[in-house]
Amino acid sequence: MVTEADWNAAALRLLDDPYVFVATGPRRHEDWAHDVHAVMYRAVPDPRGWIRLDAEISDIGGPALPAYPFDPPAAAEMPGRLYRLEAEAAVGALAVMTEEWQAEPAPVRSRSREGREAALADARTLLGRYGPGARYWTNATAAASDPAPDFVGACLQGTRSHSFLTSAYLGGLDLFDDLGLIAVSDDEVGVFWSIGAY
């Protein structure tokens, strides 16, 4: 059982970056894409009151673009831009979100074994919140033909995806790439997104 303290600490250690979005919302619809949409638009709070990471990003968009940096497709279209992932591949996707998109080549893969295992352990803690029956999706095209791509081996720079980002130029930021992971349980949806920006 993942506790709030464990989850919050793992989120901050692994993903506390200005261009990472981490949020969980309640599962209210049979079609979970509606719930993911609500999370991206910041229309729902975390059902447990646990930490959310997106303050710097949401400040840039303000009320004019409440989903910034996202321009998510309509809920009905969202599944067409996502691919199913096995649980261990989801762990790898979260672990590589610790990378910088341009400045840091392969930090997870090139870390000491202990450092790599610590990053993977934090990713498992984060996904543990959603329980053993959770299902995972990504926008990474590597999962189109394989639900278990090696994200740690490919790293962010080797990852292509269907973008969920807006083309709006705000706050002097160009948004150029993204890697997203969605966790779906019976009660919650988790949205984890790494955003390349300069």
Side-chain angles (χ1 to χ4, degrees):
M1 179 82 164
V2 176
T3 69
E4 178 180 4
D6 292 340
W7 200 86
N8 289 351
L12 290 170
R13 275 193 306 267
L14 193 65
L15 300 171
D16 189 20
D17 179 276
Y19 307 117
V20 171
F21 178 88
V22 176
T24 299
R27 175 92 186 269
R28 295 178 173 159
H29 300 86
E30 181 66 28
D31 179 357
W32 49 264
H34 293 282
D35 301 313
V36 171
H37 218 257
V39 171
M40 289 181 155
Y41 274 91
R42 299 170 181 88
V44 293
D46 185 299
R48 303 185 204 189
W50 294 8
I51 197 169
R52 175 185 292 236
L53 302 178
D54 83 317
E56 292 184 48
I57 299 171
S58 63
D59 287 348
I60 294 170
L65 290 175
Y68 185 88
F70 302 111
D71 183 11
E77 298 169 15
M78 194 174 287
R81 292 173 60 185
L82 297 168
Y83 304 102
R84 187 80 183 265
L85 274 184
E86 292 180 5
E88 198 56 28
V91 168
L94 274 188
V96 300
M97 288 185 191
T98 64
E99 294 185 28
E100 296 294 332
W101 279 89
Q102 293 180 322
E104 202 178 4
V108 178
R109 187 178 62 205
S110 61
R111 286 182 187 165
S112 68
R113 181 174 181 202
E114 293 80 14
R116 186 169 50 253
E117 289 305 317
L120 294 169
D122 280 342
R124 285 186 188 96
T125 296
L126 291 174
L127 297 183
R129 168 183 180 157
Y130 307 100
R135 294 168 292 147
Y136 303 99
W137 280 264
T138 183
N139 64 329
T141 57
S145 60
D146 179 7
D150 180 6
F151 287 104
V152 174
C155 302
L156 283 179
Q157 294 174 353
T159 301
R160 299 194 187 286
S161 63
H162 293 295
S163 182
F164 276 58
L165 300 178
T166 180
S167 60
Y169 180 75
L170 297 177
L173 282 180
D174 277 319
L175 307 174
F176 62 85
D177 222 335
D178 61 323
L179 172 62
L181 175 69
I182 295 168
V184 179
S185 73
D186 290 343
D187 303 314
E188 296 179 322
V189 293
V191 179
F192 302 84
W193 230 268
S194 176
I195 297 133
Y198 62 88

